[in-house]
Coordinates of all heavy atoms in Angstrom, one line a residue:
A287 N 17.4 -1.0 3.2 CA 18.0 -1.4 4.4 C 19.4 -1.9 4.2 O 20.4 -1.6 5.0 CB 17.1 -2.4 5.2
I288 N 19.6 -2.7 3.2 CA 20.9 -3.3 2.9 C 21.9 -2.1 2.5 O 23.0 -2.1 2.9 CB 20.8 -4.3 1.7 CG1 20.1 -5.6 2.3 CG2 22.2 -4.7 1.2 CD1 19.7 -6.6 1.2
E289 N 21.4 -1.2 1.6 CA 22.2 -0.1 1.2 C 22.6 0.8 2.3 O 23.7 1.3 2.3 CB 21.5 0.7 0.1 CG 21.3 0.0 -1.2 CD 20.4 0.7 -2.2 OE1 19.9 1.8 -1.8 OE2 20.2 0.2 -3.3
E290 N 21.8 0.9 3.3 CA 22.1 1.8 4.5 C 22.7 1.0 5.6 O 23.0 1.6 6.6 CB 20.8 2.4 5.0 CG 20.1 3.3 4.0 CD 18.7 3.8 4.4 OE1 18.4 3.6 5.6 OE2 18.0 4.3 3.6
A291 N 22.9 -0.3 5.4 CA 23.4 -1.2 6.5 C 22.6 -1.1 7.8 O 23.1 -1.0 8.9 CB 24.9 -0.9 6.8
V292 N 21.2 -1.1 7.6 CA 20.3 -1.0 8.7 C 19.7 -2.4 8.9 O 19.0 -3.0 8.0 CB 19.2 0.0 8.5 CG1 18.1 -0.1 9.5 CG2 19.8 1.4 8.4
P293 N 19.8 -3.0 10.1 CA 19.1 -4.3 10.3 C 17.6 -4.2 10.2 O 17.1 -3.2 10.8 CB 19.6 -4.7 11.8 CG 20.8 -3.8 12.1 CD 20.6 -2.6 11.3
A294 N 17.0 -5.1 9.5 CA 15.5 -5.0 9.4 C 15.0 -6.4 9.4 O 14.4 -6.9 8.5 CB 15.1 -4.3 8.1
E295 N 15.2 -7.1 10.6 CA 14.9 -8.5 10.7 C 13.4 -8.8 10.5 O 13.1 -9.8 9.8 CB 15.4 -9.1 12.0 CG 16.9 -9.0 12.2 CD 17.4 -7.8 13.0 OE1 16.6 -6.8 12.9 OE2 18.4 -7.9 13.6
V296 N 12.6 -8.1 11.2 CA 11.1 -8.4 11.1 C 10.6 -8.1 9.7 O 9.8 -8.9 9.2 CB 10.4 -7.5 12.1 CG1 8.9 -7.6 11.9 CG2 10.8 -7.9 13.5
L297 N 11.0 -7.0 9.1 CA 10.5 -6.7 7.7 C 11.0 -7.7 6.7 O 10.2 -8.1 5.8 CB 10.9 -5.3 7.3 CG 10.6 -4.1 8.3 CD1 10.9 -2.8 7.7 CD2 9.1 -4.2 8.8
T298 N 12.2 -8.1 6.9 CA 12.7 -9.1 5.9 C 12.0 -10.5 6.1 O 11.6 -11.1 5.1 CB 14.3 -9.3 6.2 OG1 14.9 -8.1 6.0 CG2 14.8 -10.3 5.2
A299 N 11.8 -10.9 7.4 CA 11.1 -12.2 7.6 C 9.7 -12.1 7.1 O 9.2 -13.1 6.5 CB 11.1 -12.5 9.1
S300 N 9.0 -11.0 7.2 CA 7.6 -10.9 6.7 C 7.6 -11.0 5.2 O 6.6 -11.6 4.6 CB 7.0 -9.6 7.2 OG 7.6 -8.5 6.6
L301 N 8.6 -10.4 4.5 CA 8.6 -10.6 3.1 C 8.9 -12.0 2.7 O 8.2 -12.6 1.8 CB 9.7 -9.7 2.5 CG 10.0 -9.8 1.0 CD1 8.8 -9.3 0.2 CD2 11.2 -9.0 0.6
Y302 N 9.8 -12.7 3.4 CA 10.1 -14.1 3.0 C 8.9 -15.0 3.3 O 8.7 -16.0 2.6 CB 11.3 -14.6 3.8 CG 12.7 -14.0 3.3 CD1 12.7 -13.1 2.2 CD2 13.9 -14.3 3.9 CE1 13.9 -12.6 1.8 CE2 15.1 -13.8 3.4 CZ 15.1 -13.0 2.4 OH 16.3 -12.5 1.9
A303 N 8.1 -14.6 4.3 CA 6.9 -15.4 4.6 C 5.9 -15.4 3.5 O 5.3 -16.4 3.2 CB 6.3 -14.9 5.9
R304 N 5.9 -14.2 2.8 CA 5.0 -14.1 1.6 C 5.5 -15.0 0.5 O 4.7 -15.7 -0.2 CB 4.9 -12.7 1.2 CG 4.2 -11.8 2.2 CD 3.8 -10.4 1.6 NE 3.1 -9.7 2.6 CZ 2.2 -8.8 2.3 NH1 2.0 -8.4 1.1 NH2 1.5 -8.1 3.3
F305 N 6.9 -15.0 0.3 CA 7.4 -15.9 -0.7 C 7.0 -17.4 -0.4 O 6.6 -18.2 -1.2 CB 9.0 -15.8 -0.7 CG 9.5 -14.5 -1.2 CD1 10.8 -14.1 -0.9 CD2 8.7 -13.6 -1.8 CE1 11.3 -12.9 -1.3 CE2 9.2 -12.3 -2.2 CZ 10.5 -12.0 -1.9
R306 N 7.2 -17.7 0.9 CA 6.9 -19.1 1.3 C 5.5 -19.5 1.1 O 5.2 -20.7 0.9 CB 7.3 -19.2 2.8 CG 7.4 -20.7 3.3 CD 8.5 -21.4 2.7 NE 8.6 -22.8 3.2 CZ 7.9 -23.8 2.9 NH1 7.0 -23.7 1.9 NH2 8.1 -25.0 3.4
S307 N 4.6 -18.5 1.2 CA 3.1 -18.8 1.1 C 2.8 -19.3 -0.3 O 1.7 -19.9 -0.5 CB 2.3 -17.6 1.5 OG 2.3 -16.7 0.4
R308 N 3.6 -19.1 -1.2 CA 3.3 -19.5 -2.6 C 3.9 -20.8 -3.0 O 3.8 -21.2 -4.2 CB 3.9 -18.4 -3.6 CG 3.4 -17.0 -3.2 CD 4.2 -15.9 -4.0 NE 4.2 -14.7 -3.3 CZ 5.0 -13.6 -3.5 NH1 5.9 -13.7 -4.4 NH2 4.8 -12.6 -2.8
Q309 N 4.5 -21.5 -2.1 CA 5.1 -22.8 -2.4 C 4.5 -23.9 -1.5 O 4.0 -23.7 -0.4 CB 6.6 -22.7 -2.1 CG 7.3 -21.6 -2.9 CD 8.8 -21.6 -2.6 OE1 9.2 -22.3 -1.7 NE2 9.5 -20.7 -3.2
E310 N 4.5 -25.1 -2.1 CA 4.3 -26.3 -1.2 C 5.7 -26.6 -0.6 O 6.5 -25.7 -0.4 CB 3.8 -27.4 -2.1 CG 2.5 -27.2 -2.8 CD 1.4 -27.0 -1.7 OE1 1.5 -27.6 -0.6 OE2 0.4 -26.3 -2.0
H311 N 6.0 -27.8 -0.3 CA 7.3 -28.1 0.3 C 8.3 -27.9 -0.8 O 8.2 -28.3 -1.9 CB 7.3 -29.6 0.7 CG 6.5 -29.8 2.0 ND1 6.7 -29.1 3.1 CD2 5.5 -30.7 2.2 CE1 5.8 -29.5 4.0 NE2 5.1 -30.5 3.5
T312 N 9.4 -27.1 -0.4 CA 10.4 -26.8 -1.4 C 11.5 -27.8 -1.4 O 11.6 -28.7 -0.5 CB 11.1 -25.4 -1.0 OG1 11.7 -25.6 0.3 CG2 10.0 -24.4 -0.9
F313 N 12.4 -27.7 -2.3 CA 13.6 -28.6 -2.3 C 14.4 -28.4 -1.1 O 15.0 -29.4 -0.6 CB 14.5 -28.3 -3.6 CG 15.6 -29.3 -3.8 CD1 15.4 -30.5 -4.3 CD2 16.9 -28.9 -3.5 CE1 16.4 -31.4 -4.4 CE2 17.9 -29.8 -3.6 CZ 17.7 -31.1 -4.1
A314 N 14.5 -27.2 -0.6 CA 15.2 -26.9 0.7 C 14.6 -27.7 1.8 O 15.3 -28.3 2.7 CB 15.2 -25.4 1.0
D315 N 13.2 -27.8 1.9 CA 12.6 -28.6 2.9 C 13.0 -30.1 2.8 O 13.3 -30.7 3.8 CB 11.1 -28.5 2.8 CG 10.6 -27.1 3.1 OD1 11.2 -26.4 3.9 OD2 9.5 -26.7 2.5
K316 N 13.1 -30.6 1.6 CA 13.5 -32.0 1.4 C 14.9 -32.2 1.8 O 15.2 -33.2 2.4 CB 13.3 -32.3 -0.1 CG 11.8 -32.3 -0.6 CD 11.7 -32.6 -2.0 CE 10.2 -32.5 -2.5 NZ 10.1 -32.8 -3.9
M317 N 15.8 -31.2 1.5 CA 17.2 -31.3 2.0 C 17.3 -31.4 3.5 O 18.0 -32.2 4.0 CB 17.9 -30.1 1.5 CG 18.2 -30.1 0.0 SD 19.6 -31.3 -0.4 CE 21.0 -30.5 0.4
L318 N 16.5 -30.6 4.2 CA 16.5 -30.6 5.6 C 16.0 -31.9 6.2 O 16.7 -32.5 7.1 CB 15.6 -29.5 6.2 CG 16.1 -28.0 6.0 CD1 15.0 -27.1 6.4 CD2 17.3 -27.8 6.9
S319 N 15.0 -32.5 5.6 CA 14.5 -33.8 6.0 C 15.6 -34.9 5.7 O 15.8 -35.8 6.6 CB 13.2 -34.2 5.3 OG 12.1 -33.4 5.8
A320 N 16.2 -34.8 4.6 CA 17.2 -35.8 4.2 C 18.4 -35.7 5.2 O 18.9 -36.7 5.7 CB 17.7 -35.5 2.8
M321 N 18.8 -34.5 5.6 CA 20.0 -34.4 6.5 C 19.6 -34.9 7.9 O 20.4 -35.6 8.5 CB 20.4 -32.9 6.6 CG 21.2 -32.4 5.3 SD 21.8 -30.7 5.5 CE 20.4 -29.8 5.1
R322 N 18.4 -34.6 8.3 CA 17.9 -35.1 9.7 C 17.9 -36.6 9.7 O 18.2 -37.2 10.7 CB 16.5 -34.5 10.0 CG 16.6 -33.0 10.3 CD 15.2 -32.5 10.8 NE 15.1 -32.8 12.2 CZ 14.2 -33.7 12.7 NH1 13.5 -34.4 11.9 NH2 14.1 -34.0 14.0
Q323 N 17.4 -37.2 8.6 CA 17.4 -38.6 8.5 C 18.7 -39.3 8.5 O 19.0 -40.2 9.2 CB 16.6 -39.0 7.2 CG 16.1 -40.5 7.2 CD 17.2 -41.5 6.8 OE1 18.1 -41.1 6.0 NE2 17.2 -42.7 7.4
K324 N 19.7 -38.6 7.8 CA 21.0 -39.2 7.7 C 21.8 -39.1 9.0 O 22.5 -40.0 9.3 CB 21.8 -38.5 6.5 CG 21.2 -38.8 5.1 CD 21.1 -40.3 4.8 CE 20.6 -40.5 3.4 NZ 20.4 -42.0 3.2
F325 N 21.7 -37.9 9.7 CA 22.5 -37.8 10.9 C 21.9 -38.3 12.1 O 22.6 -38.7 13.1 CB 23.0 -36.3 11.1 CG 21.9 -35.4 11.6 CD1 21.4 -35.5 12.9 CD2 21.5 -34.3 10.8 CE1 20.4 -34.6 13.4 CE2 20.6 -33.4 11.3 CZ 20.0 -33.5 12.6
G326 N 20.6 -38.4 12.1 CA 19.9 -38.9 13.3 C 18.9 -40.0 13.1 O 18.2 -40.4 14.1
G327 N 18.7 -40.4 11.9 CA 17.7 -41.4 11.6 C 16.3 -40.9 11.8 O 15.3 -41.7 12.0
H328 N 16.1 -39.6 11.7 CA 14.7 -39.1 11.9 C 13.9 -39.3 10.7 O 14.3 -38.9 9.6 CB 14.8 -37.6 12.2 CG 15.6 -37.2 13.4 ND1 15.2 -37.5 14.7 CD2 16.9 -36.6 13.5 CE1 16.2 -37.1 15.5 NE2 17.2 -36.6 14.8
V329 N 12.7 -39.9 10.8 CA 11.8 -40.2 9.7 C 10.7 -39.2 9.7 O 10.0 -39.0 10.8 CB 11.3 -41.6 9.8 CG1 10.3 -41.9 8.7 CG2 12.4 -42.6 9.8
E330 N 10.5 -38.5 8.6 CA 9.5 -37.5 8.6 C 8.1 -38.1 8.5 O 7.9 -39.2 7.9 CB 9.7 -36.5 7.4 CG 9.5 -37.2 6.0 CD 9.7 -36.3 4.9 OE1 10.3 -35.2 5.1 OE2 9.3 -36.6 3.8

Side-chain angles (χ1 to χ4, degrees):
I288 292 170
E289 291 173 359
E290 298 173 14
V292 172
E295 296 95 334
V296 171
L297 307 190
T298 302
S300 66
L301 175 64
Y302 286 1
R304 294 190 177 208
F305 295 163
R306 191 67 175 83
S307 77
R308 304 168 205 166
Q309 303 177 0
E310 296 297 333
H311 289 305
T312 65
F313 187 75
D315 294 330
K316 295 178 182 180
M317 285 286 292
L318 289 170
S319 286
M321 286 186 279
R322 291 188 76 251
Q323 196 280 324
K324 293 304 181 186
F325 74 67
H328 303 290
V329 179
E330 64 181 17

